[in-house]
Amino acid sequence: MRDLFEEEPKDMASQSVLIVIEGAPFGKQSVRASLRGRHATTYMPRETVEYEAMCGREASLSMRGRPLFTGPVELKLQLFYPIPQSWSKKAKEAARLGHVVPTKKPDSSNCLKAIEDGFTGAVWVDDCQVVDHHITKRFSDTPCVIAIVTPLDLKSC
């Protein structure tokens, strides 16, 4: 499979933003509910709130004071998962070379949700502006998320 980042971004490439989020990819968790006396309350788990905030901080730094994207955008994500320490040297090398890929949680759709929500207000006005997604999952010795946001020269309604 080709690397999504080998190809030059389309059309408005000079306006693309590269965002790197260090650490293992994190999937958005479901809203939780609890009872307080006789009243039910809902809340988002602390880990999800913190990860989305970290994504927003990293995105704001990468935007370098540029205005938020207001039209349709493309989001390319590469999710790099840590290589398990328990694996043999041969298995670790196969993972580094991309011959073994992560088919474990968190799944890419939950990671996408957390990143999109974290980027809202830092990169774009609302995550509904993301009309194209490209996501890959790989192993790496340095787990991280690499995101490229490119504005698209398309009309929106």
Side-chain angles (χ1 to χ4, degrees):
M1 181 173 161
R2 71 172 173 76
D3 185 339
L4 289 175
F5 301 108
E6 287 176 350
E7 150 189 326
E8 286 293 315
K10 300 176 208 128
D11 302 326
M12 305 170 83
S14 62
Q15 297 179 19
S16 293
V17 176
L18 172 71
I19 303 160
V20 178
I21 303 162
E22 295 180 4
F26 184 83
K28 185 166 186 140
Q29 299 168 313
S30 299
V31 173
R32 306 277 165 81
S34 66
L35 286 174
R36 297 199 182 216
R38 295 183 345 198
H39 301 283
T41 60
T42 59
Y43 64 96
M44 184 60 66
R46 179 182 50 81
E47 297 90 353
T48 296
V49 173
E50 289 173 357
Y51 187 76
E52 289 176 2
M54 180 181 67
C55 290
R57 284 191 303 274
E58 293 300 325
S60 292
L61 291 172
S62 296
M63 289 292 284
R64 294 182 187 90
R66 295 169 46 167
L68 299 180
F69 293 116
T70 56
V73 298
E74 172 186 54
L75 176 61
K76 291 183 180 181
L77 291 177
Q78 279 193 328
L79 308 174
F80 291 102
Y81 289 72
I83 300 171
Q85 293 297 313
S86 61
W87 284 11
S88 67
K89 286 183 183 181
K90 187 175 180 179
K92 288 180 182 179
E93 188 59 25
R96 284 185 196 98
L97 294 172
H99 299 300
V100 178
V101 293
T103 55
K104 61 178 190 163
K105 292 188 180 233
D107 57 77
S108 57
S109 61
N110 286 339
C111 292
L112 173 66
K113 289 176 203 172
I115 292 164
E116 282 183 336
D117 288 345
F119 286 3
T120 297
V123 177
W124 47 64
V125 177
D126 191 271
D127 57 0
C128 67
Q129 293 170 240
V130 181
V131 297
D132 290 341
H133 299 100
H134 302 279
I135 305 172
T136 59
K137 291 170 59 172
R138 298 292 183 266
F139 283 113
S140 175
D141 290 317
T142 54
C144 66
V145 173
I146 298 175
I148 295 179
V149 180
T150 304
L152 299 174
D153 191 17
L154 300 171
K155 295 185 187 263
S156 59
C157 59

